[in-house]
Amino acid sequence: MAASSFLTASHAQLARAISGRGTVAAPSQPDRLALSSGGHRLILRLNPKAAELKQRSRRFVKIRSAVIDTADGKPVTEELMERSVNTIRFLAVDAVEKANSGHPGLPMGCAPLGHILFDEFMRFNPKNPYWFNRDRFLLSAGHGCMLHYALLYLTGYDSVKDEDLKAFRQWQSKTPGHPESFETPGIEVTTGPLGQGIANAVGLALAEKHLAARFNKPDAEIIDHYTYVILGDGCQMEGVSNEACSLAGHWGLGKLIAFYDDNRITIDGDTEITFTEDVNARFEALGWHTIWVKNGNTGYNEIRAAIKEAKAVKDKPSLIKVTTTIGYGSPNKANSYSAHGSALGSEEVDATRKNLGWPYDPFHVPEDVKSHWSRHISNGAAHESEWNAKFAEYEKKHKEDATILKDIISGDLPAEWEKALPVYTPESPADATRNLSQQCLNALAKVLPGLIGGSADLASSNMTLLKMYSNFQNSTPQEKNIRFGVREHGMGAICNGIAHHSPGLIPYCATFFVFTDYMRASIRLAALSQARVIFVMTHDSIGLGEDGPTHQPIEHLMSFRMMPNILILRPADGNETAGAYKVAVLSQKRPSILALSRQKLPQLSGTSFEGVEKGGYIISDNSSDNKPDLILIGSGSELEIAAKAGEELRKDGKRVRVVSLVSWELFEEQSDDYKESVLPKAVSARISIEAGSTFGWEKYIGSKGKAIGIDRFGASAPAGKIYKEFGLTAENVIAAAKSL
């Protein structure tokens, strides 16, 4: 090779070139990079993007200053800072290596950011992960969770011990492969699918702004905390993040600070192949304040300055784009997708240790690093103690507000709150359960201080406005009607964040039942993470009529019945709707879906609150000794049809039991004796009727029963006509009964 040669290089070529052994230098020309090895000198002429990459792809560079002035006024030496950051990196590397599974690249690249944020800016108490006024942190790029676990470990959280790091991704460990709030105290929200975490963070920040507006006083700022979140390129690409971030900008959530880990690598390779937009420009258009930290690898002071700047902006959320190198420090895998989703491998781990000057055994934390981080235990206790003293003074001056706030913090419900729910009789006028739902919501709003929610641009159709309140907006954050706009996915994820903020906050959100297809991931995560969100889903069947099959849910009831840890409640009238809300409010560890009708339904004789709590119960029966000739089972709008058919069959001398199966999940939780008292095994003549898929009904009707439902898409026509054409009529039930 000649002493000096020229060639052009792509991102990938550059990454491979600088990962080899040798030295790297920057010639005077900004678009050139010099590489020397074995007496040869290679000059690369970089394409524009690679030139930009040069700054962030270089090998380990020492911090210049001997002593670093940190944001919290605790100066540290450059040596300690480097060791501390590298401790985070290698805890992640070693855990992934031991598991032979995981994502080391993000923790290696984001270690400086994580260090500075947790060590210098965030307020929390490691010994009480649930202290109310703590700052919240979420990792939206949840695959990089070893970053978070390492930080929890170093700061002294009891939930992540040395043995937990070594059990990363193993059975029943406290360090699962993605952050799970129900497994690991200190993890705020269960994030996993990309984009969910940033949307959850919007919900947390909304909750902080709402509660601060309601309870802070000129003489007492009792609620004052930030929500921080790290998101990656994948989160930016997922639509849910844009839905939620659009709302965050609109609402002016000034205490939301998001760090965009700009490492330009996804599983398939360089983002150059899929994602070349100007993210900061987009966020500016969404109403965010934006900052760019160009050297997230070693630019500690840049990171500090960016966080300070973001905290100084009070009227809008902030996005800090932090350009990092994925897998920073790995000689052969840094800045490549191979550092993203798999262990580095023992040889590369050894090479990374040499490259970063890390002579320690796996999972070792140097004593000076331990000592440095240990102060967070006493600092955290002091933060909470100071806040408790402030709250005690607040309670003396503002006793009523303090009592309400304590209930929101603890999750305690007011005494006899359920008595506020309306009661109906058969003489009450027929009405759609969506309208009855609004009556229940407005009754609950008077007695449940934590109730807050809204609709995806359908409030006037799914009847979810709280009439005694105005809209939650940037200028009126104390109000309770949240206008989500046409953003179902973002709406669900934001409500999950609200639910995780405080046990006493009860978020609800609403759309047409068919549009749960847009928000299924958020609903599933609510169920997985045990978040009490009430999903108010109206227009629940072909009964919505003329809008046709695109808007008529057929398979949805059954698909959600298959989902663990969620209640599906399909009430038939006013009493069942009120009972459904009682159950939903009391279900603190799981979400609920209320499937509600558009069409008017009569108030049926025999329905009750208590029956709903059982999930399935008898509304009428002319048999004795638990020996009916026939059992008719219905839910929601079809219970009326079953009841009418039962009346007609009794005229022919039949002993007929009519059962409301309003919630399969609740019914399955009852004792065997109770279930036998409702659905005796000896009675095989059973008919179910429901305006949806018949799949699964064999569980309750047995092999000899008959399921009346819909196993095709719906049609556009008036509701009555569609019901008749699909055989959802009392006449068809009677005919089926006679065939049995």
Side-chain angles (χ1 to χ4, degrees):
M1 179 183 291
S4 187
S5 302
F6 284 91
L7 60 120
T8 59
S10 67
H11 275 166
Q13 289 169 322
L14 174 63
R16 285 194 296 270
I18 66 173
S19 68
R21 302 179 186 277
T23 61
V24 182
S28 57
Q29 300 97 320
D31 64 340
R32 309 287 170 85
L33 191 72
L35 295 155
S36 299
S37 181
H40 298 287
R41 177 175 172 81
L42 176 67
I43 305 266
L44 298 183
R45 179 182 293 124
L46 307 177
N47 67 30
K49 287 197 172 182
E52 179 187 341
L53 191 64
K54 179 176 70 175
Q55 170 68 13
R56 60 192 182 96
S57 297
R58 59 193 181 183
R59 293 181 55 169
F60 183 71
V61 178
K62 287 186 176 292
I63 301 165
R64 294 189 183 92
S65 57
V67 177
I68 301 167
D69 292 323
T70 62
D72 62 357
K74 306 281 186 181
V76 297
T77 65
E78 108 181 16
E79 187 179 6
L80 176 57
M81 192 74 175
E82 290 173 11
R83 264 205 303 276
S84 187
V85 169
N86 281 334
T87 297
I88 298 169
R89 288 189 176 115
F90 281 101
L91 287 176
V93 167
D94 295 336
V96 172
E97 196 66 25
K98 187 174 189 300
N100 194 28
S101 175
H103 300 74
L106 183 147
M108 296 171 76
C110 287
L113 167 60
H115 179 290
I116 292 168
L117 181 61
F118 271 71
D119 190 48
E120 301 178 24
F121 285 92
M122 284 183 60
R123 291 179 302 172
F124 53 89
N125 183 1
K127 299 306 178 185
N128 181 9
Y130 305 108
W131 167 47
F132 170 70
N133 202 44
R134 68 191 181 278
D135 289 334
R136 271 72 168 176
F137 171 78
L138 291 85
L139 191 60
S140 188
H143 54 274
C145 55
M146 265 311 306
L147 172 70
H148 201 172
Y149 297 148
L151 291 165
L152 294 178
Y153 172 66
L154 290 172
T155 48
Y157 281 76
D158 294 330
S159 54
V160 181
K161 302 286 192 182
D162 180 70
E163 58 267 26
D164 298 306
L165 296 178
K166 294 174 181 177
F168 178 54
R169 289 187 161 222
Q170 304 308 301
W171 176 253
Q172 293 186 330
S173 76
K174 294 295 183 184
T175 50
H178 284 80
E180 297 175 4
S181 56
F182 56 92
E183 289 285 0
T184 315
I187 300 296
E188 298 289 353
V189 182
T190 301
T191 60
L194 295 177
Q196 287 287 328
I198 178 61
N200 298 153
V202 173
L204 288 168
L206 180 153
E208 193 277 342
K209 184 165 183 169
H210 171 70
L211 294 175
R214 285 175 61 184
F215 294 104
N216 283 351
K217 311 294 180 184
D219 63 344
E221 189 176 32
I222 201 69
I223 298 169
D224 174 25
H225 52 265
Y226 282 82
T227 300
Y228 299 99
V229 58
I230 294 177
L231 66 158
D233 289 301
C235 298
Q236 294 284 14
M237 295 185 218
E238 289 286 0
V240 63
S241 65
N242 200 68
E243 288 185 24
C245 291
S246 174
L247 283 166
H250 172 71
W251 290 327
L253 301 180
K255 289 186 177 175
L256 171 61
I257 298 176
F259 302 93
Y260 164 35
D261 176 27
D262 171 42
N263 64 41
R264 294 189 180 174
I265 296 293
T266 61
I267 291 176
D268 276 353
D270 197 296
T271 56
E272 190 177 58
I273 63 175
T274 56
F275 189 61
T276 55
E277 68 184 48
D278 186 336
V279 171
N280 277 25
R282 173 162 60 88
F283 271 74
E284 287 174 11
L286 294 177
W288 288 56
H289 174 69
T290 65
I291 308 166
W292 184 12
V293 174
K294 296 182 180 180
N295 177 14
N297 296 328
T298 58
Y300 295 176
N301 289 329
E302 288 182 59
I303 295 170
R304 287 191 189 94
I307 299 173
K308 289 179 181 178
E309 179 182 335
K311 292 187 72 172
V313 176
K314 306 296 185 183
D315 61 341
K316 58 179 67 177
S318 292
L319 178 79
I320 304 175
K321 174 182 173 181
V322 184
T323 296
T324 67
T325 300
I326 192 169
Y328 180 83
S330 170
N332 300 298
K333 294 189 177 182
N335 197 48
S336 71
Y337 67 88
S338 58
H340 172 80
S342 59
L344 296 179
S346 59
E347 290 186 7
E348 188 65 13
V349 170
D350 290 343
T352 304
R353 278 182 153 77
K354 291 177 183 177
N355 192 37
L356 292 178
W358 194 251
Y360 306 106
D361 292 334
F363 299 101
H364 180 79
V365 179
E367 287 303 319
D368 56 350
V369 174
K370 282 184 184 177
S371 176
H372 177 75
W373 282 93
S374 67
R375 75 188 195 283
H376 289 289
I377 294 175
S378 57
N379 286 355
H383 287 319
E384 183 172 358
S385 178
E386 180 183 349
W387 186 84
N388 288 339
K390 184 185 290 188
F391 188 83
E393 289 299 313
Y394 179 91
E395 194 169 14
K396 291 176 184 177
K397 299 176 182 178
H398 312 285
K399 187 173 183 179
E400 183 177 350
D401 279 342
T403 299
I404 294 171
L405 180 56
K406 283 196 291 186
D407 285 346
I408 290 174
I409 294 172
S410 68
D412 293 338
L413 296 169
E416 299 185 326
W417 63 271
E418 68 274 13
K419 291 186 177 180
L421 287 164
V423 177
Y424 302 87
T425 69
E427 291 70 41
S428 300
D431 210 343
T433 51
R434 61 170 175 162
N435 294 332
L436 301 168
S437 165
Q438 185 170 51
Q439 295 171 22
C440 293
L441 278 172
N442 278 274
L444 291 174
K446 297 175 183 178
V447 295
L448 297 179
L451 187 69
I452 181 172
S455 173
D457 200 52
L458 291 166
S460 60
S461 189
N462 50 40
M463 313 306 291
T464 47
L465 280 178
L466 304 179
K467 296 178 181 178
M468 61 188 293
Y469 294 101
S470 185
N471 296 328
F472 176 93
Q473 295 288 352
N474 190 2
S475 59
T476 54
Q478 73 279 6
E479 301 295 343
K480 294 190 173 186
N481 287 302
I482 305 177
R483 303 288 192 163
F484 289 103
V486 189
R487 301 182 181 93
E488 277 89 357
H489 197 358
M491 173 179 71
I494 288 169
C495 283
N496 289 349
I498 296 171
H500 281 290
H501 185 278
S502 297
L505 286 177
I506 306 174
Y508 68 90
C509 60
T511 186
F512 292 176
F513 192 30
V514 76
F515 297 142
T516 53
D517 287 339
Y518 283 136
M519 57 192 302
R520 184 171 294 270
S522 300
I523 295 174
R524 184 178 186 275
L525 283 168
L528 176 63
S529 61
Q530 304 172 12
R532 177 179 51 185
V533 179
I534 302 175
F535 296 98
V536 182
M537 299 293 134
T538 67
H539 299 61
D540 71 336
S541 72
I542 58 171
L544 68 87
E546 292 85 348
D547 275 341
T550 61
H551 283 53
Q552 293 169 0
I554 301 299
E555 73 280 15
H556 296 67
L557 280 168
M558 208 57 67
S559 69
F560 282 112
R561 285 171 179 154
M562 292 189 291
M563 185 178 286
N565 198 46
I566 189 169
L567 292 178
I568 315 304
L569 298 140
R570 191 166 184 250
D573 64 1
N575 285 330
E576 286 201 345
T577 302
Y581 271 103
K582 179 182 177 182
V583 166
V585 170
L586 289 173
S587 298
Q588 292 188 314
K589 293 295 185 181
R590 58 182 169 185
S592 301
I593 292 178
L594 275 62
L596 306 171
S597 74
R598 176 181 184 268
Q599 70 272 36
K600 288 185 177 181
L601 304 174
Q603 310 298 339
L604 298 172
S605 177
T607 59
S608 68
F609 279 43
E610 297 75 20
V612 173
E613 293 177 72
K614 298 286 189 180
Y617 65 106
I618 301 166
I619 69 163
S620 66
D621 190 1
N622 67 331
S623 68
S624 59
D625 299 325
N626 203 30
K627 294 179 180 179
D629 298 322
L630 173 69
I631 300 175
L632 304 180
I633 311 170
S635 81
S637 47
E638 290 72 64
L639 185 61
E640 171 197 6
I641 297 171
K644 286 181 178 178
E647 290 174 5
E648 293 301 317
L649 289 165
R650 289 173 192 136
K651 292 177 183 178
D652 292 337
K654 298 293 184 183
R655 295 177 298 174
V656 182
R657 173 176 295 178
V658 179
V659 171
S660 172
L661 201 56
V662 62
S663 171
W664 292 25
E665 299 79 23
L666 290 174
F667 186 66
E668 288 301 317
E669 292 171 4
Q670 306 310 308
S671 68
D672 289 340
D673 287 345
Y674 177 78
K675 286 186 278 190
E676 174 67 17
S677 74
V678 176
L679 299 176
K681 292 183 177 68
V683 181
S684 61
R686 303 181 184 188
I687 298 172
S688 66
I689 180 167
E690 185 173 70
S693 171
T694 61
F695 177 83
W697 270 104
E698 60 273 8
K699 179 175 185 176
Y700 294 112
I701 62 173
S703 60
K704 296 181 180 179
K706 183 172 180 58
I708 298 174
I710 307 170
D711 292 315
R712 51 154 282 189
F713 291 119
S716 178
K721 176 66 172 175
I722 302 175
Y723 265 74
K724 183 177 180 180
E725 292 295 329
F726 280 103
L728 295 165
T729 63
E731 291 77 14
N732 197 29
V733 174
I734 293 168
K738 291 179 178 178
S739 72
L740 292 176

